[in-house]
Amino acid sequence: QLVESGGGLVQAGGSLRLSCAASGRTISTYGMGWFRQAPGKERDVVAADSWSDRSTYYADSVKGRFTISRDNAKNTVYLQMNLLKPEDTAVYYCAARYGSGMAIRQRSYDYWGQGTQVTVSS
């Protein structure tokens, strides 16, 4: 089970840190990803990591502003979001996939959280 938290309302230029707590299994051998879905749009990858080679991936729209990290001891993955923009407004989802390597497609992920709303006001 994945449970996101940390969403909310923030002004443009502000920051939020999303957390995704996993239970029932350890994330140490799971690739983790953050996706988001804005109203009327498809769900897209925001950031992802690979536990096997410790690589990370970021969508072009968030590069330099968002950072994905994990704390395996706490079984939690984070998404630090800085310099937020109104276009970052969306429901953010955490996802996990068993296996090595990097994956940025939704279908590659096995488990999903329920989502947390992020709203950025202008």
Side-chain angles (χ1 to χ4, degrees):
Q1 182 181 10
L2 302 174
V3 179
E4 302 99 335
S5 61
L9 173 64
V10 64
Q11 288 188 331
S15 298
L16 283 174
R17 188 176 81 156
L18 305 183
S19 299
C20 173
S23 61
R25 52 182 56 82
T26 176
I27 66 170
S28 60
T29 55
Y30 281 76
M32 302 300 294
W34 285 96
F35 292 75
R36 68 185 180 187
Q37 187 169 20
K41 295 187 177 181
E42 295 184 350
R43 189 178 301 185
D44 290 325
V45 66
V46 174
D49 79 357
S50 166
W51 67 268
S52 55
D53 62 10
R54 300 186 180 181
S55 62
T56 55
Y57 167 89
Y58 295 96
D60 288 343
S61 58
V62 306
K63 278 181 182 176
R65 300 188 297 122
F66 289 13
T67 304
I68 186 172
S69 62
R70 63 164 70 202
D71 185 336
N72 287 337
K74 295 183 177 180
N75 228 25
T76 300
V77 64
Y78 304 97
L79 184 68
Q80 178 66 44
M81 306 186 294
N82 298 327
L83 300 175
L84 283 161
K85 304 175 181 180
E87 51 264 43
D88 294 320
T89 296
V91 177
Y92 284 70
Y93 298 90
C94 171
R97 59 181 293 270
Y98 184 73
S100 59
M102 176 65 69
I104 63 172
R105 296 181 178 179
Q106 292 186 61
R107 64 189 184 200
S108 298
Y109 286 80
D110 305 303
Y111 305 99
W112 291 83
Q114 82 290 349
T116 185
Q117 176 71 47
V118 171
T119 303
V120 184
S121 63
S122 57

